[in-house]
Amino acid sequence: MNKKQKVLIIGGVAGGASTAARLRRLNEQAEIILFERGEHISFANCGLPYYIGGEIKNRSSLLVQTPQRFRNRFNIDVRNYHEVIEIHQEDKMITVRNLQTDEVYQESYDQLVLSMGAEPIKPKIAGLDSKKIFTLRNIPDTLKMKTYIEQKKPAHAVVIGGGFIGLEMVENLHKAGVQVALIEAGNQVLAPLDYDMACEVHAHLRSKGIKLYLGNALQAIHEAENHVVVDLKNGVIKTDMVIMAIGVRPESDIARKAGIELNERGAIVVNGKMQTSIPDIFAIGDAIEVIDFVTKQPTFVPLAGPANKQGRIVADVICGFDRSYQGTQGSSILKVFDLTVATTGINEKTAKRLQLNYEKSFTHSENHARYYPNAMDMSLKTIYEKSTGKILGVQIVGYGGVDKRCDIFATAIRAQMTAYDLTRLELCYAPPFGSAKDAVNVAGFVIENILTDKMHIFHWHDIADLQKRKDVTLLDVRTIEEYNNGNISGFINIPLDELRESLPLLDSSKPVYVACAIGLRGYLAARILMQHGFEVYNLSGGYRLYQFIDEEKIKI
């Protein structure tokens, strides 16, 4: 990078601030100007809901870097309250408006970095101009909502949208003493999860008193007396405040006006070096299209981690280093009251849509040794390639240890490891922290058994068809007490410990479909039956998974 080069960065927070800091570390003489239309250039946007709920006590904790500290430490010309309104790519100039003085001026550049982020989606419906309707993107939004709650003391709130921000707002409004209803147009919360894994999250939300309206789209909003009336496709809710959290879209208007290539969703198209279609203009963060690391398909994944990495890469490329972004795998984690939800890689919906040759496996493991106090279950869904066993994605829902396991899977996916590799991982073990056979190992063991024909599986969604057939045996190998406390219609009960002596009761000409609590006893039963000449299939995830899904049908 030429020492006299001038780099302009539009937008701060994760991407822009990371780019600026890295540029300065690499080149002390470069002229770097960071434009931010708001007051804050670097704040903990992921922490905003927790300030509203009181988990984060001090507003100052949300500020990662103030403009003055950033200037002092990195010698960067920080211009907050300055909005870039136009890019003149032919002349390598931008037009800027000082929002405090209304002055409009132009600034030249050698390289330009676009880090405008994403903005909340606002549906085209009536009533969104009400002062009782809020979105959450920045600190002013947060203070506005916090002040409203403290002053107006709302008894009830409606959250529109069951994504990450929506669920974080549900929890934190609940902590602030507000009764909450969650509206989601789809049939589940958290789109990165598959429906079968989301059902456990639904059950947990309901246990906390959250009213769920799933598969119920917002139609209109209007004020009546002192309340807000939310009109849904099916029903009406009267509330005191509404939080719009139906998702985000790239904030890319100035890029579009400058002739920079966008995709159909409005995300800026970049190559591996984060270069746009216009020379010397780069783009990073929530405003861009990325390549899915697993499928190699273009996608949109607005996450802070990738934005930081992209900022670092842009700075390196500008300074002459040969760096490129290798794709995003969507590793993410969320706290939902006592529950932790984490995902990485692709889900089954994506695998099915792309017609990949995949299979799935459901396993349940404790977060640490069962005999050590307070062991808690984790539910895992692993997506893998049928032909090789390569891990394509995982979803984990549980109460402890979820983050550790999902990070291991994220590393495994990045390293393109297979289920066989998972069985060989040597992970830390002591009773308070894990098990000798860790949950990650167990997921690998189960998939290895499937791949090597030591076990054949069937899934919860196969049961309805099996219940109609007369040419199969449906067998539950749990204890009599477990069976009597709840079972799948059509399954006869022979406890595992009585199975060998009960073999004459079973017709060896019929395939046997076995169910147990989580799949382990079903596997043991399958191994016994297979070695006695039976064709056997084990219910992946067991009755525990089936029960969450079956109960969800009743709730809906």
Side-chain angles (χ1 to χ4, degrees):
M1 176 179 176
N2 189 302
K3 293 181 179 179
K4 295 182 179 180
Q5 278 184 295
K6 181 178 180 181
V7 182
L8 307 185
I9 302 170
I10 304 175
V13 199
S18 295
T19 304
R22 176 70 169 175
L23 276 170
R24 177 56 73 221
R25 291 195 297 270
L26 295 176
N27 191 311
E28 184 64 20
Q29 283 72 43
E31 182 180 0
I32 306 169
I33 307 175
L34 175 64
F35 298 91
E36 171 57 53
R37 69 184 176 194
E39 177 183 359
H40 308 287
I41 61 157
S42 186
F43 60 91
N45 50 355
C46 296
L48 301 180
Y50 299 100
Y51 177 67
I52 291 169
E55 195 78 19
I56 296 174
K57 303 296 183 185
N58 299 319
R59 173 189 168 187
S60 60
S61 300
L62 298 172
L63 300 177
V64 179
Q65 277 281 10
T66 65
Q68 190 58 50
R69 288 207 307 263
F70 208 60
R71 291 187 191 100
N72 293 344
R73 175 157 295 183
F74 295 105
N75 187 28
I76 288 168
D77 184 352
V78 178
R79 301 183 189 178
N80 51 334
Y81 296 114
H82 281 65
E83 181 178 14
V84 177
I85 57 178
E86 197 169 358
I87 299 169
H88 311 280
Q89 49 101 350
E90 301 90 347
D91 304 318
K92 302 188 79 169
M93 302 278 289
I94 62 171
T95 299
V96 187
R97 175 178 285 116
N98 184 326
L99 299 178
Q100 292 179 309
T101 66
D102 210 34
E103 173 197 3
V104 175
Y105 65 94
Q106 291 191 325
E107 196 77 52
S108 65
Y109 66 84
D110 292 309
Q111 278 88 23
L112 177 66
V113 182
L114 309 181
S115 180
M116 295 85 66
E119 59 184 347
I121 295 173
K122 294 182 180 179
K124 295 180 180 179
I125 62 170
L128 291 186
D129 56 346
S130 169
K131 293 183 179 179
K132 296 178 181 178
I133 298 177
F134 303 86
T135 57
L136 186 65
R137 184 192 181 192
N138 51 37
I139 289 179
D141 291 343
T142 307
L143 298 179
K144 181 180 175 184
M145 197 183 305
K146 180 89 166 174
T147 300
Y148 181 86
I149 293 170
E150 291 174 347
Q151 293 181 353
K152 303 297 182 181
K153 296 182 171 31
H156 187 275
V158 167
V159 176
I160 311 290
F164 286 84
I165 295 296
L167 287 190
E168 287 172 344
M169 284 309 308
V170 164
E171 177 180 353
N172 284 283
L173 286 167
H174 183 273
K175 283 187 176 180
V178 182
Q179 189 178 3
V180 186
L182 175 63
I183 315 300
E184 170 54 53
N187 68 342
Q188 66 165 87
V189 300
L190 297 174
L193 290 182
D194 289 315
Y195 173 79
D196 39 33
M197 295 297 285
C199 287
E200 185 169 350
V201 182
H202 298 164
H204 188 66
L205 287 166
R206 292 189 181 104
S207 76
K208 296 298 182 179
I210 305 304
K211 179 70 173 177
L212 299 184
Y213 294 82
L214 302 174
N216 209 340
L218 175 66
Q219 302 293 305
I221 298 175
H222 63 275
E223 291 195 43
E225 299 177 351
N226 295 322
H227 297 284
V228 178
V229 178
V230 180
D231 295 322
L232 303 175
K233 182 180 179 181
N234 300 305
V236 174
I237 303 174
K238 188 167 69 172
T239 189
D240 300 313
M241 64 184 298
V242 175
I243 292 85
M244 300 297 299
I246 62 175
V248 296
R249 63 184 175 196
E251 189 162 336
S252 56
D253 279 351
I254 61 171
R256 176 180 54 80
K257 292 174 183 176
I260 295 171
E261 182 184 357
L262 309 181
N263 68 10
E264 58 185 14
R265 295 186 60 177
I268 301 169
V269 176
V270 296
N271 61 18
K273 296 185 180 300
M274 316 313 296
Q275 296 164 321
T276 71
S277 59
I278 303 298
D280 293 319
I281 300 182
F282 299 79
I284 57 176
D286 295 355
I288 70 167
E289 173 187 271
V290 295
I291 298 301
D292 186 297
F293 178 79
V294 176
T295 68
K296 310 307 178 187
Q297 299 293 313
T299 188
F300 177 62
V301 185
L303 293 171
N308 274 284
K309 294 175 181 64
Q310 292 156 12
R312 183 181 178 90
I313 287 170
V314 164
D316 285 3
V317 170
I318 289 174
C319 292
F321 295 99
D322 185 15
R323 294 284 307 281
S324 62
Y325 189 62
Q326 301 301 312
T328 300
Q329 64 192 72
S331 300
S332 56
I333 191 165
L334 177 68
K335 178 180 179 294
V336 184
F337 290 96
D338 308 316
L339 207 60
T340 304
V341 180
T343 69
T344 186
I346 63 170
N347 55 26
E348 185 180 4
K349 289 176 284 193
T350 300
K352 189 176 293 185
R353 175 172 54 82
L354 297 176
Q355 299 182 326
L356 302 183
N357 183 30
Y358 78 95
E359 180 57 281
K360 60 195 173 190
S361 172
F362 298 91
T363 53
H364 302 281
S365 299
E366 287 86 5
N367 63 316
H368 57 61
R370 183 178 303 175
Y371 57 81
Y372 189 84
N374 302 317
M376 295 176 286
D377 273 345
M378 293 181 291
S379 302
L380 291 83
K381 179 177 183 177
T382 309
I383 311 295
Y384 62 94
E385 193 173 69
K386 266 187 179 181
S387 58
T388 65
K390 185 170 74 171
I391 305 302
L392 304 177
V394 73
Q395 301 158 51
I396 311 179
V397 177
Y399 294 90
V402 171
D403 53 344
K404 169 183 174 179
R405 275 62 182 210
C406 197
D407 283 342
I408 295 170
F409 273 103
T411 305
I413 290 172
R414 185 62 59 161
Q416 301 192 52
M417 294 171 69
T418 68
Y420 303 106
D421 296 316
L422 297 186
T423 69
R424 294 188 283 264
L425 289 179
E426 185 175 333
L427 304 174
C428 296
Y429 163 60
F433 302 105
S435 300
K437 294 179 181 178
D438 190 84
V440 177
N441 299 134
V442 170
F445 292 145
V446 171
I447 296 171
E448 180 186 50
N449 284 336
I450 297 168
L451 291 171
T452 55
D453 290 327
K454 294 182 180 68
M455 177 178 69
H456 304 132
I457 59 172
F458 70 107
H459 294 293
W460 61 269
H461 48 74
D462 299 319
I463 291 175
D465 287 335
L466 291 170
Q467 288 168 329
K468 301 172 187 175
R469 292 173 57 179
K470 303 296 185 183
D471 61 336
V472 298
T473 299
L474 306 181
L475 177 63
D476 188 323
V477 296
R478 295 177 298 156
T479 65
I480 295 172
E481 291 78 14
E482 288 176 293
Y483 181 82
N484 289 338
N485 283 334
N487 58 75
I488 305 172
S489 177
F491 279 70
I492 62 171
N493 180 224
I494 301 178
L496 174 63
D497 294 342
E498 302 172 18
L499 182 59
R500 287 184 178 87
E501 63 192 58
S502 302
L503 288 176
L505 302 176
L506 299 175
D507 185 347
S508 62
S509 68
K510 292 182 178 181
V512 181
Y513 289 80
V514 182
C516 68
I518 62 172
L520 174 57
R521 281 175 287 176
Y523 165 63
L524 299 177
R527 292 304 304 156
I528 293 171
L529 292 167
M530 288 173 72
Q531 294 177 78
H532 283 84
F534 288 82
E535 179 185 345
V536 191
Y537 300 86
N538 184 27
L539 177 60
S540 187
Y543 182 72
R544 186 183 188 278
L545 174 67
Y546 177 84
Q547 187 176 28
F548 277 118
I549 299 165
D550 194 48
E551 289 177 353
E552 182 68 15
K553 295 175 186 175
I554 297 171
K555 295 291 184 182
I556 292 176

